[in-house]
Amino acid sequence: MLRRLCLAVLLSALLGPAAHAADESPRRETAGTDRVVTSPAADSVALTVYRAPDNGGSLNPRYLAGFALVTETRKIHVPRGRSVLRFEGVAEGIIPVSAVIEGLPGGTIEKNRDARLLSPASLVDGTLGRQVTLTRTDKATGRKVSEQATLVAGPQQGVVLQTQAGIETLRCSGLPEKLAFDGVPSGLSSKPVLSVVTQSAGSRTVTVRLSYLSSGFDWRASYVATQAQDGRSLDLFAWLTLANGNPQTFAQAEVNAVAGRLNRVSTPAFRAAVAALRLACYPLGTTTSDLQKHPQQMAEIFVTGARVAPSIMMAAPAAPAPPPPPPPPPPEDLGDLKLYRVPERVTVSPKGQKQVALLSRSQVPFERRYRRTVYPGQALEAAPSAVVLVLRNRQEAGLGLALPAGSTALYAAGAGGERRLIGLGAMPDRAEGETFRLAAGTSTQVTISQQRGIGQEATLTVSNANGFPISIDVPIGSAGQKIEGVDESLERVDGVATWSPTVSPGATAQLRYRFPSN
């Protein structure tokens, strides 16, 4: 009688007899006439991470559009003659055509990115027609009984087995059942693999350097500024936040980050083929294929870890935060780009983020200003302005180095040492000598109005309700647009015509300007 159909492949299905798949020593086997040698992991690794071309102020861990140049050093035995060298554990986002291998005595004849990763579905699919060990727990005695079975069908819609009792399905009897496999089918790997074909005149052990581009990376700078109580200076600290969207760990990696824009052509991402498992049961005692199925929760696979019951998942006491590491050396020129070196090796976790200190400066002077961008012909009536702290990236101002784009957070120091958040924002790349701004909130005390005049003219009015004078910057239009003041000339800042009046307490200032018709 056909049992209810479902599927569950447990941890013991991958460990036990098949545990040799995770062996960390080089392996040699034969594939046709070519000898196969496997390098299970890199001896050392370096990451040079490039930002996404259209980067914002913060990272989106779900969509990392940057990339990295991964450089691995490996020691591997190269047999005499033609052989296949398998490099396991490369980044999942590897771009195979970019891979370069240095140190092979015979060079590289062929490169392949092996697409099939070890998973419950691929394990079942690769073992169809072969024997496995089926272990059950007897409901009456509680004893575990094992027998040999042949995989007849699967993994889609479930696993069908041929046992001594006939045709059966897995894990639908209501009794604990599990499968054990004698080995991993050929062509499957628990890690992403890059394989190359080489031809060597002799047998020798060599150290090779494998370099390749990989998607699934990005980085940002995260600036944290604390405004002093005197309202004239601030302490500026910045983190370099590195994100890794790949499921691989890069242990004790040498990390560099590159700021700037590359001329990059989009390359389709390569993803390994991992079939999904679905659990479904049919009504008991039927062989009708068109009856409603009862879906079950998908089974989970834990290869190197174990499931922790919710009842014992207790939060560990928080350890005191260690002091931040020393900031890296000043950025280096990489053509028109800037390269930032992390001064010590760090471990980049899978699907995670890593933060290292980028800079730390104290008592950096700033100027408090107001700002509001307007557009020709735009109707405004007492619109609020933004408060910004203007800093100059110069050595005499306590800075004087290339500042990469990133998010900003501005705090104010209280009399009791507490800090209060007063502004969040973002800043673009700023070279040495340039001016940059930190967002410091919004003001309804300094407002801007605009009225359309006759023809291609408009009038701007700034009102200051504060009891002190203020300076405000009003960029008009976009970069390159021809904007001309009627009664005064306008300065161009970053290519944009900008009006920058100083307004006395309780007073107003006006500007009449002309703009193009198109």
Side-chain angles (χ1 to χ4, degrees), residues 13 207 429:
T207 298
D429 291 327

Side-chain angles (χ1 to χ4, degrees), residues 236-240 323-331 340-344 356-361 401:
L236 184 63
F237 185 84
W239 292 103
L240 189 158
Y340 299 83
R341 294 185 185 273
V342 176
E344 55 188 1
V356 295
L358 181 64
L359 69 87
S360 180
R361 297 290 189 272
L401 72 164

Side-chain angles (χ1 to χ4, degrees), residues 67 91 448 508:
F67 65 98
I448 300 179
T508 61

Side-chain angles (χ1 to χ4, degrees), residues 4 33 141 225 366 418 470:
R4 290 183 298 173
T33 59
T141 65
F366 66 81
E418 72 279 4
I470 62 96

